[in-house]
Amino acid sequence: MRRSGGRKRRLHFSKIYSFSCGRASLKEEHSQIGGPGFSRVVFCNEPDSFEAGIRNYADNYVSTTKYTVATFLPKSLFEQFRRVANFYFLVTGILAFTPLAPYSAVSAIIPLIIVIGATMTKEGIEDWRRKQQDIEVNNRKVKVHKGSGEFDYTEWKNLRVGDIVRVEKDEFFPTDLLLLSSSYEDAICYVETMNLDGETNLKLKQALDVTSTLQEDTSISDFHAMVKCEDPNANLYSFLGTMDFEKQQYPLSPQQLLLRDSKLRNTDYIYGVVIFTGVDTKVIQNSTPPPSKRSRVEKKMDKIIYLLFGVLFTLSSVGSIFFGIKTKDDLNNGIMKRWYLKPDDSTVFYDPKKAPVAAIYHFLTALMLYSYLIPISLYVSIEIVKVLQSVFINQDIHMYYEEADKPAHARTSNLNEELGQVDTILSDKTGTLTCNSMEFIKCSVAGTAYGRGFTEVERSMGRRNGSPVHEALIGKDETAPIKGFNFKDERIMFGNWVNEPHGDLIQKFFRLLAVCHTAIPEVDEVTGKVMYEAESPDEAAFVIAAREVGFEFYKRTQTSISVRELDRASGQQVDRLYTLLNVLEFNSTRKRMSVIVRNEEGKVLLLCKGADNVMFERLAKNGREFEEETKEHLNGYADAGLRTLILAYRELQEDEYTEFNAKFIKAKNSISADREALIDEVTDNVEKDLILLGATAVEDKLQNGVPDCIDKLAQAGIKIWVLTGDKMETAINIGFACSLLRQGMTQIMINLESPEIKMLEKEGDKDAITKASRARVLHQIDKGKAQLTASSGGSEAFALIIDGKSLAYALEDDIKSLFLELAMGCASVICCRSSPKQKALVTRLVKSGTGKTTLAIGDGANDVGMLQEADIGIGISGVEGMQAVMSSDIAIAQFRYLERLLLVHGHWCYRRISSMICYFFYKNITFGLAVFLYEASTTFSGQPVYNDWFLSLYNVFFSSLPVVAMGVFDQDVSARFCLKFPLLYQEGVQNVLFSWRRIIGWMLNGLTSAVIIFFFCMKALQPCAFNPDGKTAGKDILGATMYTCTVWVVNLQMALAISYFTLIQHLFIWGSITLWYLFMLAYGAMSPTLSTNAYKVFVETLAPTPSFWLITLLVPISALLPYFTYSSLRMRFFPLYHKMIQWIRYEGRSNDPEFCDMVRQRSLRPTTVGFTARFVFLYKFATPYFWCLLSDCWRPVLDT
């Protein structure tokens, strides 16, 4: 396709931008091209050439799957048999084909095939879904040059190195491209890298001047060049290469590289040549697999498996030794003790002459026979349960954010139960606790403060100080809300600013906001409304504020900005044109941004906005008229949790500007290595002698429900840390607003704001600064620990607040343990000015230092390290892109959903998985020990009491489905009660339900049940008439009777353990028992060759015999009686917290507010955070009797 019509925009932004654009230069590092690591050669527009073909670069097909058709079977089998339990069952399955086996080989292999097959099927389905996503991405279409200036659509996967593609506005780049030209004459384009680094602000890219003329499809046909560059690597921000074009060599830099998966914005189209494809692209090079995370419950489960293996080997060893001794004595002087084994004419397995060999063989037989102590279906059952639990999390309507159409999304199901054991939450602030949606709310102009709105922080301060004025002044606003603008002041709005004493300065103030920016306007063709694409939410808020006050920026050309503003003289809206001469961009070093414009009167103006610490020092002596008032207002804005910028301007003389511009252009086009330093020097010389106009204040609002959520989490006993990049004052006030801090809480401050250190900084002695800083941090930590020690046992609450510089020293090896000890003694911790690396290091310190579960939550690319370092990473799907979400374990849309995720789903999942694992071991010990007891009673003859298929199907059909149902549906208390009594969550934090005491208790329960089942059945069926025909019970009858009792006992035990019955649980429990009887009928009806000793055993022997039914009634009752007795006594005298809550509901007192409050007060402590803790703190001193109730509130429940 050829491009038709005229070009839409021809903007020479490279002429006005300072840093992003400018002539690239050959530097020393370009000499590495062609050497090791810099060997890639690309023949532009010649992908089919012989030279390109012999290099054999990767194609553009990208695969994220774990398996292929060829590797699925071997890789998946390897993954399954890496688990020690599965490998053990594989070995016993192989041994089942030898004469050592106590059962048939088929009966041993079939259950293993079912379990492994189910797991492999799950793996296959998950990988197929990844395959479908790959197909969707690889089949996206892009225009590629086919020759003769013709472009046609092709799929991404078909692109090759050297192809030239045309990417349209709002399309993703299909590969790593070298920018050749764009719809702008000077070949710049805007790129959104949200998928790469999570940042939504636009990046400016620019092609080489020599290729900027390739503006039409037809001009591409004759373009040929050779690019030599670095080899594929993972560094997103570096690129080194050269282009050989028309016998000239030109340097290439990251400014010309467009990365795969970033998006073209605000640019009609670009032409680019494919440099890196597929696995060679930088985004794929960066896609390292996330760290493997396993829950503490799962790790402990592995230890239990090893314990059971120890028991298994012990039983096998003891039995084999005893068997060897008995076998040796079988034939003594011609007398046969165990005559039925024919010791005088036996195989090696029972030969008295080879007793040691027989004992060894018996050991192998016993390993197979007692293998039922190990639950073969445990792993696959847990995986199924966790997947279903994740589905419930994903579909929870209470965690669905309707405004953004974003439900919760569990990206992994491995950590479900870990959600119920979180001890410490480490949270980002901006975009996590706050909305990262900036609103212009206040300003200070000419020493006068404007803006009558109140921030969340100010409302919190009002409540804190007992002042209702803040709430009273907030009336209902009938006007529709405007995104980015929450400014209310009749002195400014509706053109009333013209009547203010300093109306001329107000005009300059808002005119500066309308002109000093890099935003691009987009006019809606239908409504005519102007929308803005800005580099940051702050900048968008400034332009919107100017528009709402009456200074509407509506058009940008290559060298001008058009503003529709109110004329003070005529009172009419007029269009004014400002010629854009230069843009001096913002960066983290300069901390300011300026534009130089020429107004319609011909005056050259420098308009500047920046941080207060760099702006005040650049004011002229005659420009400081309102400095003191502005500083006072800034302090108030910081107290209100607002972000502030200073606005100032100056008028440049014509000769002064001409001199500056010449130096500026020379610095921009410098080919020396210190180009940036030269530009800084030139801009520093012009950004001085400014006249102060005022300050802006924008609010990053708290998300809805954040204070309530933090209060509930604090009541649950969870510690909360905030790690933010904001300065200390802002972070403290946000802490008050969201209830992390409160009045009366002792604040332990750690910072380096001391006269001594400031003096050393002026002197510039780095070693002295480091030494003094370390000493000060250590001193403040020791002082804080002393405060904690002095108040130990009291009700005083502490908050630790530390800045980034101090944190760097606190995280050093010899100090970090002291810092952690101090931090863990505080109710809340706030780390200010924290870098992304510090966030990750703090998370690692808390995780390793406490040994407890940590949860990190954040929304930006700067939070990725923290999320991956924590035991659980929660990504907020906010406005800072998807980088945090893609690196997280679970994604939610709002911080407040963390309350339900942890207190409800976390508690449920922890309890379900813990109970499920304990029950699994119980039922297998009950079954396996019964087999052992029978063999012991037969002098370890190696013969199982049960039929082969009885043994094989126990774990698969007759006892597994009820435990899966419990893992998915059981609830000890409802969601409403989980939230009403947050302290219930501590059962998971303290691991009450999966402690070794509880695990051993369930094992002992299994041992008790096995002993009762075996001995009761054995004694009841001792040689005597079993039926009216006078027949006695053989091994077949004993085995079938014991098996029936076992099926009843383990399923009824499940019924006793369940707290919340559903139809599915009834179906699975009673269905499993019914299935056993149906199986006996069907299996017994088969030929004796297949059913062996189970042939018609139920129909002809068991069913007609009353004693069989009596045994199956009495034995389960006897086996369950110890558990029932223990549970009743525990409930009456030593109830767990969830049992207390169950009694509240059972007694019908769940709607009695006074009674429920008394139980709930156990979770209310004045040493925690949250507004409820503040309530307790106040009442502790006001009402001593009330405090007595708090400490003794559980007694009424026990008395009930």
Side-chain angles (χ1 to χ4, degrees), residues 39-156:
S39 61
R40 195 174 188 87
V41 180
V42 178
F43 298 90
C44 303
N45 220 6
E46 299 177 81
D48 297 317
S49 66
F50 173 77
E51 291 86 350
I54 62 174
R55 297 183 182 277
N56 197 28
Y57 292 134
D59 59 28
N60 201 40
Y61 185 88
V62 172
S63 175
T64 60
T65 58
K66 188 176 181 180
Y67 308 104
T68 64
V69 174
T71 63
F72 174 72
L73 195 60
K75 283 186 70 174
S76 183
L77 285 173
F78 175 73
E79 288 292 331
Q80 298 309 312
F81 291 117
R82 285 174 64 185
R83 288 174 170 168
V84 63
N86 288 345
F87 181 74
Y88 167 75
F89 285 113
L90 176 65
V91 172
T92 57
I94 294 171
L95 290 175
F97 288 92
T98 68
L100 292 169
Y103 39 66
S104 65
V106 176
S107 66
I109 289 296
I110 291 296
L112 181 63
I113 291 175
I114 292 174
V115 170
I116 297 298
T119 308
M120 289 176 64
T121 301
K122 170 181 170 288
E123 289 275 329
I125 292 173
E126 290 179 348
D127 213 48
W128 175 251
R129 289 174 181 165
R130 288 191 284 268
K131 176 72 172 177
Q132 295 299 105
Q133 293 174 348
D134 291 343
I135 290 173
E136 179 188 350
V137 171
N138 288 312
N139 288 341
R140 289 177 180 172
K141 300 291 185 69
V142 68
K143 288 181 180 179
V144 65
H145 185 229
K146 298 294 187 180
S148 303
E150 295 290 338
F151 280 76
D152 199 5
Y153 282 104
T154 189
E155 295 171 340
W156 280 20

Side-chain angles (χ1 to χ4, degrees), residues 817-853:
S817 58
L818 299 173
F819 168 67
L820 180 63
E821 186 180 345
L822 170 63
M824 296 312 295
C826 297
S828 63
V829 179
I830 300 177
C831 301
C832 314
R833 296 293 191 189
S834 304
S835 67
K837 184 178 180 180
Q838 285 179 328
K839 290 183 178 183
L841 290 175
V842 169
T843 305
R844 181 185 302 174
L845 174 64
V846 176
K847 181 175 73 170
S848 60
T850 63
K852 296 184 178 180
T853 304

Side-chain angles (χ1 to χ4, degrees), residues 960-971:
S960 283
L961 290 179
V963 73
V964 170
M966 179 181 73
V968 176
F969 299 108
D970 194 31
Q971 299 176 12

